[in-house]
Amino acid sequence: MQADQWICREIQAAYPQDSLVSEEQHHTSPVQPAEAVWVIDPLDGTTNFSLGLAYWGTSIARLENGYPTLGVLHFPLQ
């Protein structure tokens, strides 16, 4: 949860006009398709992580008007 909070805080500081959707947080406001939206999964591969396997990481994407414009995958043990 701390990683998620840090990622969201840093993105919001750099892109305050954008919306955020994170797998770890509860969202109450709907996201408009025309907005720029960041989609965050701070621990992609939770089961692998919990089993001690090396295939897990962080996934972040930015959508504009519903289309991906940026994608980042980080797998620290690979």
Side-chain angles (χ1 to χ4, degrees):
M1 186 63 123
Q2 287 182 339
D4 181 66
Q5 291 171 351
W6 182 82
I7 292 167
C8 290
R9 185 174 54 249
E10 293 297 314
I11 291 173
Q12 202 67 71
Y15 300 90
Q17 71 283 358
D18 291 3
S19 297
L20 296 171
V21 176
S22 173
E23 186 177 15
E24 304 296 322
Q25 296 184 16
H26 176 71
H27 300 277
T28 57
S29 59
V31 175
Q32 299 300 319
E35 294 180 8
V37 180
W38 292 84
V39 181
I40 304 158
D41 187 349
L43 184 53
D44 193 2
T46 305
T47 300
N48 286 349
F49 179 81
S50 69
L51 294 174
L53 301 174
Y55 298 102
W56 56 270
T58 300
S59 301
I60 302 173
R62 185 173 191 253
L63 307 174
E64 293 181 56
N65 298 314
Y67 293 96
T69 57
L70 176 75
V72 177
L73 300 172
H74 177 65
F75 296 93
L77 298 182
Q78 297 301 306

